[in-house]
Structure formats: C-alpha cells, structure tokens
C-alpha cells in the first residue's frame, strides 16, 4: 500500500479507511489477528479485510456493513490524528496550484505538523520529486517519519528535526517551492531564499493573523521577492433540495370568473376558488446555503524569487 501507488487488494500492514458514511469514517492499520469495533459490530482483519479488494462492502458482526477504502491524501486529511491544527483541502488545492507543483518538483516545507499538506505535496511531486520537511518538535518529527514509512512514501520525503528560523532547511539552491506554516515566518524568509533555485522559485506563507502577514511581506520585499500577494479562501457549501413556491395571483383568474358569470359569493364556488389557489404552486430544485459556514482559516501570501 502506498499513498501514491494504488493497489487493488488489502494486505497485512496496510492503512485503510473504514467508511461508515460521508460524515463518519476513520483510518485503521490492517493486522493479522486484530479486530476493529464499529457501531455496526466487529470487523475481523484476518477474515474480513486481508485479501479483499479495496472498495469492498464488509458486513460487521451485528449485521451492519461498511466500505473499506484505499487511502488518499484527501481522505487522510479528513481522518488523520491531529497533532497540530491542519490545512484542509480548500487551502491545499490553491497552495498546490499557486506554487506550480508538478511531478519532479523539489519542495521545502516547515513545519510538518500532522502531515496533511505533506501527503498532498508528496502525491503531486511523485515519482521523481522530493519533499524536504522541517519540524521543530522532536516527537512530531519522529511520528511523521513513522507515518511516511507506513504509507510507503519515505523515499519521497526527508524529515528534519530542527529550528528552520535558525538553521534553515538543510538544502541550498535546489527547491522549486517553499512553504512556511510557522509562528514567525518572517524569520525564515532568508533561509527560504537560500533553499530556492537561482531564479523563479515560488514561496507561500500561511498565517492566521494579518499582523504576521504584514511582517512577512516586509521581509519578502527586503529579500528581493517580487509578485507578492495575499489571499484568503472562504468555502461556502450549498444543499440542493426541493423548494415549493406558490404561483403569484395576478387577478387573471378572478377576472375570467367574473366574465363567465362566476358567483364568488356562493359557498360552493368559494371552496372551488380556494382549492384552485392552493394548487397554484410549483416545485423545483434549488441550492440553499448552509446556515453555518467555515470562516477564516488563514492568509496565504505568495511571492516569486527574482
């Protein structure tokens, strides 16, 4: 199993996603002799998972069923164990595009955190690119190395435990792109410039506060970066549902009834008129925004090394 090379069959040692529904799923490490508890009952790895195809419908001990999915960076972002606050697909997609990442790109990242963006970058730069990721916290760095090894992508990533603001990324003049997600990114702009290739490299800094953005932009200008711009991604979801609206009464029916000698004062005729008005509605599909939406996540500042 690998996050960049998809296989058909579930094997011992794989990381799989147990899918109970769109709002309910979780990762599991497949192991002989192990069982996983769900609200639908027990899943026995040896008999229910190993040897089955990814995407299979698995019946649990209580009679309920789940799907077993092959892991992807998108599914991992939704299910990974949170060691830090993470980036989600909305921000990840624009970062990948604006940094112009492609197979073969060399990328430097700090900090690694929970590895949400890291997995997406690795999948994008594979099979010939490489990610150099720096994490200040030793235990998080060790856990990231372990996850990359379990996910079959350790040959595409180098994890370093050091302070990027003091010691940099450990590489010079080779990176196509640099990504910073640290409390004081302006202190690492000089090291980012040293890591980037001679000309045309791209940099992105993610910061939740506008004061961080201001200091980072000043540091970028001092280091000679150009095309500096900051943006914010806001995602607004819509529910598609059936809406019923009454057709407006413009008085035409009343005029027609009068011209035909229709007596609206008659009790029987009043009931007929009321029924006609109630029937004057139309149903159609419409997109309705959710009452609550995900608001501010962070500011993304992009620049180019000239």
């Amino acid at each position: 199993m690998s996050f960049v090379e998809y296989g058909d069959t579930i094997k011992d040692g794989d990381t799989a996603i147990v899918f109970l529904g769109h709002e309910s799923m979780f990762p599991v490490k497949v192991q002989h002799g192990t069982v996983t508890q769900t609200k639908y009952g027990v899943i026995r790895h040896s008999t229910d998972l190993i040897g089955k195809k990814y995407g299979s419908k698995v019946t649990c001990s209580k009679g309920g069923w789940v799907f077993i999915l092959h892991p992807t960076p998108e599914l991992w972002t939704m299910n990974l164990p949170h060691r830090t606050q993470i980036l989600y697909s909305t921000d990840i997609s624009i970062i990948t595009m604006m940094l112009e990442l492609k197979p073969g790109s060399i990328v430097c990242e700090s900090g690694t955190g929970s590895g949400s963006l890291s997995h997406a970058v690795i999948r994008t730069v594979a099979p010939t690119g490489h990610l150099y990721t720096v994490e200040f916290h030793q235990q998080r760095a060790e856990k990231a190395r372990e996850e990359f090894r379990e996910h079959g992508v350790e040959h595409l990533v180098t994890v370093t435990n050091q302070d990027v603001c003091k010691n940099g990324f450990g590489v010079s003049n080779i990176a196509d792109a640099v990504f910073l997600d640290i409390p004081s990114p302006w202190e690492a702009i000089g090291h980012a410039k040293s890591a980037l290739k001679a000309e045309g490299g791209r940099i992105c800094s993610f910061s939740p506060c506008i004061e961080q953005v201001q200091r980072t932009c000043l540091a970028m200008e001092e280091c000679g970066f150009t095309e500096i711009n900051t943006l914010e991604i806001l995602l607004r979801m819509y529910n598609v549902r059936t809406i019923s609206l009454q057709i407006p009464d413009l008085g035409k029916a009343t005029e027609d009834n009068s011209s035909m000698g229709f007596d609206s004062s008659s009790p029987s005729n009043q009931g007929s008129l009321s029924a006609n008005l109630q029937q004057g509605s139309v149903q159609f599909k419409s997109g309705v925004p959710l009452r609550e939406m995900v608001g501010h996540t962070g500011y993304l500042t992009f620049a180019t090394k000239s």
Side-chain angles (χ1 to χ4, degrees):
M1 186 277 304
S2 171
F3 272 56
V4 296
E5 296 176 359
Y6 299 98
D8 292 330
T9 306
I10 304 172
K11 299 181 177 62
D12 185 23
D14 281 2
T15 298
I17 305 296
V18 180
F19 180 89
L20 293 83
H22 289 290
E23 302 297 329
S24 179
M25 62 185 93
F26 60 89
V28 62
K29 185 173 182 179
V30 180
Q31 292 178 313
H32 271 294
T34 303
V35 298
T36 297
Q37 295 284 348
T38 74
K39 62 182 180 180
Y40 300 126
V42 172
I43 301 173
R44 295 174 175 83
H45 294 199
S46 299
T47 57
D48 297 333
L49 298 184
I50 297 176
K52 300 290 182 64
K53 287 186 174 295
Y54 279 107
S56 298
K57 184 178 178 180
V58 174
T59 303
C60 305
S61 60
K62 293 182 180 179
W65 48 267
V66 298
F67 288 106
I68 307 300
L69 306 180
H70 194 290
T72 65
E74 292 81 5
L75 288 174
W76 186 245
T77 291
M78 298 170 63
N79 295 280
L80 58 78
H82 284 227
R83 300 183 288 273
T84 59
Q85 181 59 266
I86 69 169
L87 290 173
Y88 290 92
S89 297
T90 307
D91 289 318
I92 291 173
S93 59
I94 195 70
I95 291 169
T96 302
M97 184 188 74
M98 295 295 287
L99 289 182
E100 303 173 3
L101 302 186
K102 58 187 181 300
S105 294
I106 305 298
V107 184
C108 292
E109 174 197 29
S110 183
T112 312
S114 301
S116 175
L117 177 67
S118 304
H119 282 81
V121 170
I122 290 170
R123 198 259 308 270
T124 303
V125 304
T128 57
H130 201 84
L131 171 66
Y132 295 89
T133 182
V134 178
E135 173 57 51
F136 176 79
H137 193 276
Q138 182 178 357
Q139 291 180 332
R140 288 201 293 262
E142 292 173 354
K143 185 62 179 177
R145 288 194 193 97
E146 179 184 342
E147 285 181 350
F148 293 141
R149 184 169 56 252
E150 291 178 352
H151 297 164
V153 296
E154 71 275 11
H155 62 291
L156 297 170
V157 57
T158 300
V159 182
T160 305
N161 173 220
Q162 64 186 28
D163 185 353
V164 70
C165 296
K166 295 180 179 178
N167 307 114
F169 293 93
V171 296
S172 299
N173 302 320
I174 65 169
D176 297 290
V178 170
F179 176 78
L180 297 174
D181 183 7
I182 55 178
S184 52
W186 55 90
E187 296 181 1
I189 298 299
H191 294 296
K193 182 178 181 180
S194 299
L196 286 169
K197 59 186 180 181
E199 187 178 1
R202 296 278 287 167
I203 182 173
C204 174
S205 173
F206 177 90
S207 297
C209 301
I210 196 64
E211 291 82 5
Q212 294 171 300
V213 174
Q214 292 169 336
R215 297 188 65 175
T216 302
C217 288
L218 290 173
M220 288 178 175
E221 287 183 348
E222 292 174 358
C223 287
F225 283 92
T226 60
E227 299 179 340
I228 302 172
N229 65 87
T230 299
L231 52 87
E232 178 186 29
I233 309 298
L234 299 177
L235 178 65
R236 190 177 189 187
M237 303 292 292
Y238 281 78
N239 278 336
V240 178
R241 65 186 189 188
T242 302
I243 291 181
S244 180
L245 292 180
Q246 192 168 8
I247 297 176
D249 180 9
L250 303 178
K252 187 175 187 301
T254 304
E255 294 173 1
D256 291 345
N257 291 334
S258 299
S259 63
M260 296 171 61
F262 186 85
D263 185 6
S264 61
S265 62
S266 170
S268 60
N269 291 339
Q270 286 179 355
S272 176
L273 182 61
S274 176
N276 289 335
L277 290 175
Q278 289 178 359
Q279 292 174 0
S281 62
V282 62
Q283 291 185 338
F284 60 93
K285 295 290 186 180
S286 178
V288 180
L290 302 179
R291 293 185 177 181
E292 296 181 356
M293 64 172 282
V294 176
H296 172 74
T297 57
Y299 299 104
L300 293 168
T301 301
F302 296 92
T304 302
K305 181 179 178 181
S306 63

